[in-house]
């Protein structure tokens, strides 16, 4: 039963990761087009697109920065001290990975909870930015919160890989999820 739940979790992570990357990539392209059109309009016709800075800061950037961070974790792209880590025996490596996962889940969990609480508060008051045109800016806060929460889920799934490897010594690498997702 544990392996079927674990398999379903990894399947869900793969699907969510694909959607998050698609949204992030789309936001990056839209941001580039939006800023380029704003620059052309501003310098060629003296007609900049209103609220470009706000849209970039509160919509595009949270999607571009927060959504792909779990993908980087899945691919093992974050900074790691592998030279020292690889010198440890497999069992010690797995214990270190579990300890690191617990710390990361606690930190990111707290951060996502606080960000989510703030996002709900801003949603309740209908946060928007005054300017030439009023722009609703609270949705970007939920994008950031989702990115953090998804990162917690990925770290949890990777910790499950390591825990299962502790009981099943067939796995020769503590980074089992990196190669599979």
């Amino acid at each position: 039963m544990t392996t079927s739940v674990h398999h379903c979790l990894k399947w869900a992570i793969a699907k969510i990761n694909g959607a998050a990357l698609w949204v992030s990539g789309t936001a990056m392209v839209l941001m580039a087009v939006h800023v380029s059109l704003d620059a052309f309009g501003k310098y060629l016709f003296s007609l900049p697109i209103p609220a470009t800075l706000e849209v970039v800061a509160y919509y595009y950037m949270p999607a571009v920065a927060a959504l792909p961070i779990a993908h980087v974790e899945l691919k093992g792209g974050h900074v790691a001290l592998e030279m020292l880590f690889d010198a440890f025996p497999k069992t010690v490596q797995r214990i270190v990975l579990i300890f690191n996962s617990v710390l990361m889940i606690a930190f990111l969990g707290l951060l996502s909870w606080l960000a989510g609480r703030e996002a709900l508060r801003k949603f309740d008051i209908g946060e928007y930015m005054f300017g030439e045109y009023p722009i609703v800016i609270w949705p970007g806060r939920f994008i950031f919160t989702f990115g953090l929460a998804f990162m917690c889920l990925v770290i949890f799934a990777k910790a499950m890989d390591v825990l299962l490897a502790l009981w099943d010594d067939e796995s020769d690498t503590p980074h089992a999820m990196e190669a599979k997702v």
Side-chain angles (χ1 to χ4, degrees):
M1 178 164 164
T2 303
T3 56
S4 65
V5 170
H6 188 235
H7 176 72
C8 288
L9 179 62
K10 287 170 78 171
W11 177 85
I13 285 172
K15 296 298 181 188
I16 295 168
N17 183 49
L21 287 177
W22 187 87
V23 170
S24 179
T26 302
M28 189 179 303
V29 169
L30 288 173
M31 180 171 58
V33 169
H34 190 152
V35 170
S36 297
L37 289 175
D38 180 59
F40 285 131
K42 181 178 181 179
Y43 293 112
L44 294 179
F45 307 110
S46 296
L47 289 170
I49 298 174
T52 296
L53 177 64
E54 291 83 2
V55 172
V56 167
Y58 290 103
Y59 284 93
Y60 300 138
M61 288 308 290
V64 169
L67 293 181
I69 197 165
H71 177 75
V72 175
E73 177 65 25
L74 282 170
K75 297 301 179 188
H78 286 123
V79 175
L81 187 58
E82 292 177 351
M83 202 162 116
L84 178 63
F85 181 80
D86 291 343
F88 293 143
K90 270 188 237 180
T91 305
V92 174
Q93 288 180 359
R94 291 176 178 147
I95 291 169
V96 168
L97 286 172
I98 291 168
F99 180 71
N100 180 55
S101 296
V102 169
L103 287 177
M104 288 301 298
I105 289 169
F107 173 73
L108 290 171
L110 177 63
L111 193 58
S112 64
W113 177 71
L114 291 171
R117 190 175 70 173
E118 185 68 10
L120 286 172
R121 194 172 75 75
K122 297 299 184 177
F123 169 76
D124 285 341
I125 65 171
E127 181 185 36
Y128 64 95
M129 184 151 257
F130 290 105
E132 194 174 334
Y133 301 100
I135 297 176
V136 176
I137 59 173
W138 57 261
R141 296 181 186 276
F142 285 102
I143 295 169
F144 180 73
T145 301
F146 174 80
L148 291 174
F150 184 49
M151 176 75 163
C152 284
L153 182 65
V154 166
I155 292 172
F156 174 76
K158 287 180 77 170
M160 280 183 62
D161 278 345
V162 175
L163 281 171
L164 290 173
L166 276 173
W167 283 283
D168 179 23
D169 241 353
E170 290 177 21
S171 175
D172 57 345
T173 176
H175 306 288
M177 196 164 176
E178 289 172 13
K180 295 178 184 173
V181 177

